[in-house]
Amino acid sequence: MMLYDFFFVSLQAKHTEMIHPELRYYDFGEGVTAFSSTRHGGCSKGNYGDFNINRYCGDEPLAIAQNRQALCELLGISDDRLIMPHQVHLTEVVAIDETFLNLSADEQQQRLEGVDALMTNVDCICIGVSTADCIPILLYDSEHQAVCAIHAGWRGTVQRIVEVAVRQMAQAYDSRPQQLRTQIGPGISFDSFEVGDEVYEAFAKAGFEMPLISRHDAKWHIDLPVCNRLQLEALGVPLHQISIAPECTFKQPETWFSARRLGIQSGRIFTGIMLKPIR
């Protein structure tokens, strides 16, 4: 290694040691680590500051790498065990299993293109989704030790991605909705999510009970967390096993990224879940 390279690597390592991601943890029990990242504790700048690990929103690659490294160190995993898809607001769900893990890095990246939910039953794999007003949803099946992370923007919610994910967990792991513990993470609130007539009509045509999820002030408002909660309940997930984060990303931009406030060239919240070995 040349002297310059050694200096650069040493400087990067020292910088990473100074990064301490501030996470909002969720209690799923001893066998699971689950969280949403806040804006704090990273090295990204401007609309990406401080903590962003999404490589698809225009942030500096070095900052992303350093933030990822700091998160992996906090979780006690290597970088290749932190899995994030390239989301496109559809309903594709991918299982992260040994077959996936044996793919090359390029093959893994290709498999993660156009994916909006991940599931796994492999220990020490952190799967997660990125949001900045959309709704992140985590599922945990303690009976079969399986987890799922879902990105539910309004388009995904209309297409009932949470229902797709629950059914795929049932097929892959024999998961039963009655056994699922779920967390709906920080996203845009009912009060803040103003939409046009076309969005209202999309929900109405998809069969949602509009009086339960909408209201009209100057514009229509849609309650995305409740939309997804109602889908989980309809599948058989008990209400007491569904938690909804009270935070609104739009109202609390000092803590959470909000694309409606910052634009799409801005950072993203990472909501992740990881199974831990049961001793």
Side-chain angles (χ1 to χ4, degrees):
M1 180 182 291
M2 297 177 62
L3 180 60
Y4 173 82
D5 293 333
F6 178 79
F7 174 77
F8 178 78
V9 172
S10 298
L11 182 62
Q12 182 178 4
K14 185 176 181 180
H15 192 188
T16 304
E17 289 175 2
M18 299 169 61
I19 301 172
H20 301 283
E22 295 184 17
L23 309 180
R24 182 69 51 82
Y25 289 98
Y26 307 115
D27 183 10
F28 280 93
E30 295 183 0
V32 178
T33 297
F35 62 89
S36 291
S37 63
T38 69
R39 292 187 64 171
H40 305 301
C43 65
S44 295
K45 303 298 182 183
N47 284 351
Y48 304 98
D50 297 342
F51 187 83
N52 170 67
I53 62 169
N54 185 302
R55 61 172 62 97
Y56 305 108
C57 57
D59 196 4
E60 291 293 330
L62 179 57
I64 294 169
Q66 291 176 331
N67 289 335
R68 279 184 64 100
Q69 182 178 344
L71 178 58
C72 289
E73 289 175 358
L74 186 61
L75 297 174
I77 59 175
S78 57
D79 185 82
D80 63 339
R81 312 285 282 188
L82 178 60
I83 312 294
M84 178 195 311
H86 186 192
Q87 301 157 191
V88 292
H89 298 276
L90 295 176
T91 60
E92 180 74 12
V93 183
V94 165
I96 306 303
D97 52 19
E98 294 300 335
T99 299
F100 176 91
L101 296 172
N102 287 329
L103 297 174
S104 69
D106 287 343
E107 290 171 328
Q108 288 185 4
Q109 195 60 46
Q110 184 176 2
R111 185 69 186 94
L112 293 171
E113 287 291 326
V115 172
D116 284 86
L118 301 175
M119 60 184 184
T120 191
N121 62 350
V122 181
D123 290 344
C124 301
I125 293 286
C126 182
I127 57 172
V129 292
S130 295
T131 58
D133 290 330
C134 294
I135 308 300
I137 303 169
L138 301 177
L139 311 177
Y140 172 46
D141 173 4
S142 59
E143 183 179 11
H144 300 96
Q145 283 299 293
V147 293
C148 184
I150 303 164
H151 163 242
W154 77 260
R155 291 177 178 86
T157 300
V158 163
Q159 297 173 82
R160 302 179 187 274
I161 185 173
V162 72
E163 294 184 12
V164 174
V166 169
R167 292 193 175 103
Q168 291 208 19
M169 286 188 73
Q171 293 174 3
Y173 312 122
D174 292 325
S175 298
R176 296 179 296 146
Q178 295 80 6
Q179 295 299 117
L180 291 178
R181 295 181 59 186
T182 67
Q183 176 68 54
I184 297 174
I188 195 165
S189 66
F190 189 19
D191 288 342
S192 298
F193 191 44
E194 293 183 342
V195 301
D197 291 346
E198 72 285 358
V199 175
Y200 176 90
E201 291 299 330
F203 278 88
K205 289 179 181 178
F208 286 86
E209 295 185 54
M210 301 312 293
L212 298 179
I213 67 164
S214 68
R215 74 165 188 261
H216 192 274
D217 297 330
K219 297 183 71 174
W220 284 109
H221 291 246
I222 298 290
D223 195 333
L224 290 180
V226 166
C227 286
N228 286 284
R229 190 206 78 204
L230 291 171
Q231 290 180 61
L232 290 166
E233 286 187 82
L235 289 166
V237 179
L239 180 58
H240 70 273
Q241 291 171 203
I242 305 172
S243 296
I244 300 180
E247 297 89 354
C248 172
T249 49
F250 184 79
K251 291 180 179 179
Q252 298 173 275
E254 72 286 351
T255 302
W256 310 105
F257 289 110
S258 170
R260 286 205 166 198
R261 284 195 178 276
L262 300 171
I264 60 172
Q265 297 297 110
S266 59
R268 301 292 188 270
I269 302 160
F270 180 73
T271 296
I273 189 164
M274 179 177 71
L275 292 167
K276 297 187 290 186
I278 297 179
R279 299 180 180 179

